[in-house]
Amino acid sequence: MSLYQLVYISRATQPFSNEELTDLLVNAKNNNSSQDITGNLIYNGGMFLQVLEGDKKSVQALYDKIALDSRHTKVRNIYFEPAEYRLFSRWSMNMVNLECDKPKNIQTIKDIIDAIDEDKLVDGMSPPVKLLKEFSTIR
């Protein structure tokens, strides 16, 4: 199996409650584990940023399904490249709600989300690469 990482960003069509986010996470974990997909979903004030990892065909199929989900709009694939290792090998899916959770690198993550939305670089790097570097430091 060749490992790939895909990063996408989207906007929620309406704000998600904590309960809705929990339901989304439970469903993602169940679906992803059967496909050997791992990843992380970040929610920030109506914006989603998700990293998916796995076999190229499985990740592409899941992204195609996600892109059709009516709960969000402006779905944009911003990174789809081969990877040497999984950043999220322990989780079929993890979620960080930046409205509630406060990771030590919260401002960097918010800056990355803003940069993606505005098509800007972060510290001279493309936002997806910067995001993956941030995650690799907490590996």
Side-chain angles (χ1 to χ4, degrees), residues 17-102:
S17 68
N18 285 336
E19 184 177 317
E20 290 170 316
L21 288 170
T22 299
D23 289 345
L24 181 67
L25 177 61
V26 168
N27 288 332
K29 284 181 175 185
N30 291 335
N31 293 334
N32 291 358
S33 62
S34 68
Q35 299 295 317
D36 194 29
I37 292 176
T38 56
N40 193 24
L41 176 64
I42 298 171
Y43 180 77
N44 182 40
M47 296 283 293
F48 287 106
L49 180 88
Q50 186 167 21
V51 179
L52 301 171
E53 304 172 317
D55 173 77
K56 184 177 184 178
K57 287 182 182 180
S58 298
V59 169
Q60 183 65 57
L62 178 57
Y63 172 76
D64 291 344
K65 180 180 172 184
I66 290 169
L68 296 175
D69 190 319
S70 63
R71 294 174 291 184
H72 60 166
T73 186
K74 297 183 180 178
V75 181
R76 190 166 45 129
N77 177 343
I78 57 173
Y79 184 86
F80 192 26
E81 297 291 333
E84 292 181 25
Y85 56 86
R86 292 179 188 259
L87 293 172
F88 307 104
S89 59
R90 297 179 301 174
W91 304 307
S92 56
M93 184 53 58
N94 182 55
M95 181 181 293
V96 178
N97 179 352
L98 295 180
E99 294 177 352
C100 300
D101 304 324
K102 304 296 180 201

Side-chain angles (χ1 to χ4, degrees), residues 119-138:
D119 289 325
K120 293 182 178 179
L121 296 177
V122 181
D123 297 335
M125 291 178 252
S126 73
V129 171
K130 176 68 174 175
L131 177 73
L132 294 172
K133 284 182 71 91
E134 275 300 305
F135 285 130
S136 70
T137 64
I138 57 174

